[in-house]
Amino acid sequence: MRILHTSDWHIGRTFHGNSTMDALAEVLGALTEQVRENAVDVVIVAGDVFDSATPAGGAYTLLGDALVALHETGARVIVTSGNHDSAARLGFQARLLRDGIHVLTDPRAIGTPVTLTDADGPVQFYGIPYLEPAIVRQHWSGVDLRTQAQTLAHAMDLVRAGMAAHPGRSVAIAHCFSAGVDATIGLEREVRQGGLDVVPLSVFDGPDYVALGHIHGRQQISERVRYSGAPLHYSFGEQSKPRGSWLVDLDAAGLASVTWLDLPVPRRLVTLTGALDEILSDENVAAHADDWVCAVYTDSLAQTEPMRRLRERYPYCAMVMHQPAETERVIERSYADRLRGAVTDPERIEAFLEHVRSGHGPTEREGELIREVLDDRVRADALI
């Protein structure tokens, strides 16, 4: 059986105030073509289908179009809910969907598999929706569920009980933060990297393959436990990470092979660092005019209207940051210390500017303006 593992579509998410709907529709169209070209039998979407618990109407339309397109390839589709989804809203129409599309959002059904069959026999798919301990502990009285680790461990116990009752190969689907994740690959906004939210890898022992969601970059935790990541870049921190999905093959004995399939990137993300004039240079513009741009300018002083100037050259500049490149260590002095040596008004203004600008006083032109303003004030006082 051939499975395509994807996750974290986040339908409805914006990128620095810009809609991602068209870009996501393009990428999901490419994913559908990959399903057709590779004769995929089952598509798994491991949670965070939507970006919000209350998605807008257009998000439902995009999801419906994507599910219908995948179904028309001949593949079966299995969807679980993530922490961004409302399980009730995502799953309300599960019983009304056409045969071959399964939306699994009920924690009480974790141990009941979706059974699909190929020439080698049955494959049992166990969908674990995102489990918030405080919400789901009501379903399992007498079980101590205070953390994600405890809750996922109990869910996987239910899966293993289901495996004992339903012979055949097995695939588990979950949405969580597993131990062993590389923290540089694009963590979800809400992921807490330490303490109680980390699920030990041993929790996932048993199934032939475990399809995880929640992390936005591809990740191989073990040969059979993986994250596919998001199909789009949703932050500049993800810009160097590939987008795609895992193509998983099961044979009669279990996991046979796993291959990565790249997805297209509708618009690249790039971070440009340097003096603002360097970032605005013709050479940089020629290379990155059509990219999403994060500009980190290193001028000693904050520049006037940097975003306006950048967008005149980079129409898709989404973010600008000022990070001065200090060439020498500035001795820390309090504002009171700086004022003690200031006698004249220009000296006091210079002390203030040095204090708020990391030791940088007025430029030559700023000094001229300061003197002009002070001279005008003196003349005005003389006329009173």
Side-chain angles (χ1 to χ4, degrees):
M1 185 171 288
R2 176 161 282 183
I3 302 164
L4 189 82
H5 167 199
T6 178
S7 72
D8 294 272
W9 289 2
H10 285 280
I11 302 173
R13 174 169 287 194
T14 59
F15 179 75
H16 294 274
N18 299 278
S19 172
T20 63
M21 296 286 277
D22 290 343
L24 183 57
E26 177 184 340
V27 171
L28 293 181
L31 183 145
T32 300
E33 286 304 309
Q34 290 179 342
V35 169
R36 181 177 289 105
E37 292 169 1
N38 289 279
V40 170
D41 299 300
V42 183
V43 177
I44 290 173
V45 187
D48 278 357
V49 178
F50 294 123
D51 189 57
S52 167
T54 56
Y60 284 103
T61 300
L62 178 53
L63 175 60
D65 291 346
L67 293 179
V68 168
L70 288 170
H71 185 267
E72 288 176 348
T73 68
R76 277 71 60 87
V77 184
I78 300 176
V79 181
T80 60
S81 52
N83 59 301
H84 278 252
D85 299 309
S86 163
R89 287 188 174 88
L90 183 62
F92 88 97
Q93 58 182 350
R95 288 176 294 178
L96 307 177
L97 292 172
R98 65 190 66 190
D99 183 48
I101 300 177
H102 307 271
V103 180
L104 309 179
T105 62
D106 186 355
R108 295 167 297 183
I110 287 172
T112 303
V114 173
T115 303
L116 303 177
T117 305
D118 65 3
D120 296 315
V123 178
Q124 315 291 355
F125 291 84
Y126 296 89
I128 304 174
Y130 178 74
L131 301 175
E132 183 63 46
I135 296 175
V136 301
R137 66 168 64 107
Q138 62 178 312
H139 301 308
W140 301 299
S141 61
V143 182
D144 187 17
L145 302 179
R146 293 177 291 106
T147 70
Q148 278 281 295
Q150 291 171 328
T151 307
L152 261 294
H154 179 65
M156 285 301 300
D157 285 343
L158 297 175
V159 168
R160 284 184 283 268
M163 291 169 57
H166 300 85
R169 296 154 292 167
S170 57
V171 175
I173 308 161
H175 195 87
C176 64
F177 181 41
S178 170
V181 165
D182 178 357
T184 68
I185 47 72
L187 295 176
E188 244 289 25
R189 291 180 299 197
E190 293 81 6
V191 170
R192 288 170 287 175
Q193 296 182 39
L196 304 181
D197 280 352
V198 179
V199 179
L201 178 59
S202 60
V203 163
F204 301 110
D205 288 349
D208 294 290
Y209 184 78
V210 179
L212 296 180
H214 199 35
I215 304 300
H216 282 192
R218 72 176 181 187
Q219 187 88 170
Q220 178 179 332
I221 307 301
S222 73
E223 183 61 28
R224 60 181 189 81
V225 180
R226 299 173 187 247
Y227 289 93
S228 63
L232 279 182
H233 292 115
Y234 286 117
S235 74
F236 282 103
E238 304 169 20
Q239 66 189 51
S240 62
K241 310 305 178 183
R243 304 288 87 170
S245 52
W246 292 113
L247 190 65
V248 180
D249 282 306
L250 302 180
D251 60 16
L255 183 64
S257 66
V258 184
T259 307
W260 178 256
L261 296 181
D262 281 307
L263 283 169
V265 177
R267 191 178 305 283
R268 294 185 307 165
L269 279 67
V270 63
T271 299
L272 302 178
T273 303
L276 187 58
D277 286 343
E278 294 174 0
I279 294 174
L280 293 169
S281 68
D282 291 341
E283 181 180 0
N284 272 328
V285 172
H288 302 293
D290 293 326
D291 298 339
W292 288 116
V293 171
C294 171
V296 182
Y297 72 94
T298 58
D299 303 67
S300 297
L301 302 178
Q303 300 297 294
T304 303
E305 297 184 303
M307 181 58 89
R308 179 189 61 77
R309 294 169 62 187
L310 285 159
R311 283 188 172 167
E312 287 175 351
R313 303 281 275 162
Y314 300 100
Y316 302 102
C317 182
M319 187 176 182
V320 59
M321 301 170 61
H322 180 215
Q323 294 183 358
E326 299 294 338
T327 56
E328 58 183 272
R329 183 175 177 270
V330 177
I331 298 175
E332 291 296 329
R333 297 171 58 198
S334 69
Y335 186 40
D337 288 339
R338 295 182 189 277
L339 282 177
R340 285 192 185 98
V343 178
T344 65
D345 285 345
E347 289 174 341
R348 295 188 183 98
I349 294 172
E350 180 177 350
F352 172 76
L353 292 175
E354 288 179 350
H355 180 67
V356 299
R357 300 199 302 200
S358 302
H360 293 283
T363 64
E364 183 177 348
R365 177 54 183 154
E366 288 172 339
E368 293 175 358
L369 290 172
I370 291 169
R371 288 189 293 273
E372 289 177 11
V373 170
L374 292 175
D375 288 345
D376 287 345
R377 191 199 69 183
V378 171
R379 284 192 290 271
D381 289 344
L383 294 173
I384 297 175

